[in-house]
Amino acid sequence: LPEWTQPNGPLFIMALDGCGLACKYILVIFNIIFAVLGFAFLGLGMWLRFSGSTRGIFEIEALHSSAFVIAVTVLIALGSVMLIVVVFGDYGACSEKRCSLKVFSVLVSILALAEVAVGVLVYSRSAEFRMSVVEFYSSMYALYLSSGDPVIGITLTFIHKMLHCCGVTGVPVLEVVQNTCPKPDGWFQHIMMPNCPGIIADVFNSKAPLVMGIFVGTGALLV
């Protein structure tokens, strides 16, 4: 370094090193979260695709365009893409290879743009998406009734707790999937709870801007 820059040189380099190290650890943590989500999506999608209770749906050509088949395909594709992104991100962060980090940045940017596009699409075609999600839920419900598959049961439990609803009837006493329903809030919900198809329709009817905001916000965070 030139003589006049030597007093500030080491401090400048340490600041860069510290910032770079912090970014590296943040990137690793981000990739760990991304990997967990990717494995969850891919695992659930693969289970629903190849499980004995659901495999038959994919063998019927007339059902290839059904909401259930499309949703499972999206889960598998999304989980696979997320894991590919994680591989490039972790390799680039740990080895400090610029090429891998550039590929990682491009993939994350594509995911971010896809998130924004999906958000806008959901908002502009909320009625179609509402029917597709209700159809997907009804398919999961029917499959659980016919097979008792534990993974489908866990998925229904997650949906019921997230939306705070109970099956297709909303009557805990009569509901055959009562074991997947959330705990009632108050004494009245021991008798009647919101039914899930109705709640899903309400979400898309009244909260379509919020759903679009979540997708667009997630895309912005990825960028």
Side-chain angles (χ1 to χ4, degrees), residues 131-148:
M131 295 304 298
S132 296
V133 175
V134 170
E135 182 186 340
F136 173 73
Y137 172 81
S138 301
S139 300
M140 297 284 288
Y141 183 92
L143 286 169
Y144 183 66
L145 289 183
S146 62
S147 66

Side-chain angles (χ1 to χ4, degrees), residues 81-100:
V81 170
M82 290 175 73
L83 291 178
I84 292 172
V85 171
V86 167
V87 169
F88 281 102
D90 276 339
Y91 178 73
C94 295
S95 65
E96 300 179 6
K97 298 287 187 181
R98 285 191 176 184
C99 181
S100 296

Side-chain angles (χ1 to χ4, degrees), residues 25-48:
Y25 285 130
I26 291 172
L27 187 59
V28 170
I29 293 171
F30 169 81
N31 278 298
I32 290 173
I33 297 172
F34 226 53
V36 171
L37 290 174
F39 276 119
F41 289 152
L42 182 60
L44 178 60
M46 295 294 284
W47 180 277
L48 294 175

Side-chain angles (χ1 to χ4, degrees), residues 134-190:
V134 170
E135 182 186 340
F136 173 73
Y137 172 81
S138 301
S139 300
M140 297 284 288
Y141 183 92
L143 286 169
Y144 183 66
L145 289 183
S146 62
S147 66
D149 193 306
V151 174
I152 298 178
I154 292 172
T155 306
L156 283 179
T157 301
F158 174 76
I159 294 173
H160 290 163
K161 288 185 176 180
M162 181 177 65
L163 299 176
H164 195 73
C165 58
C166 185
V168 297
T169 65
V171 182
V173 178
L174 301 178
E175 186 56 62
V176 290
V177 296
Q178 183 183 4
N179 60 313
T180 66
C181 294
K183 292 182 179 180
D185 290 339
W187 65 269
F188 182 75
Q189 288 196 354
H190 285 277

Side-chain angles (χ1 to χ4, degrees), residues 78 107-125 129 208-223:
L78 182 59
L107 291 175
V108 170
S109 299
I110 292 173
L111 278 178
L113 292 174
E115 288 269 2
V116 174
V118 169
V120 173
L121 196 61
V122 168
Y123 180 74
S124 61
R125 299 188 177 182
F129 275 93
L210 177 61
V211 173
M212 183 183 71
I214 291 173
F215 278 103
V216 173
T218 304
L221 285 174
L222 287 176
V223 173

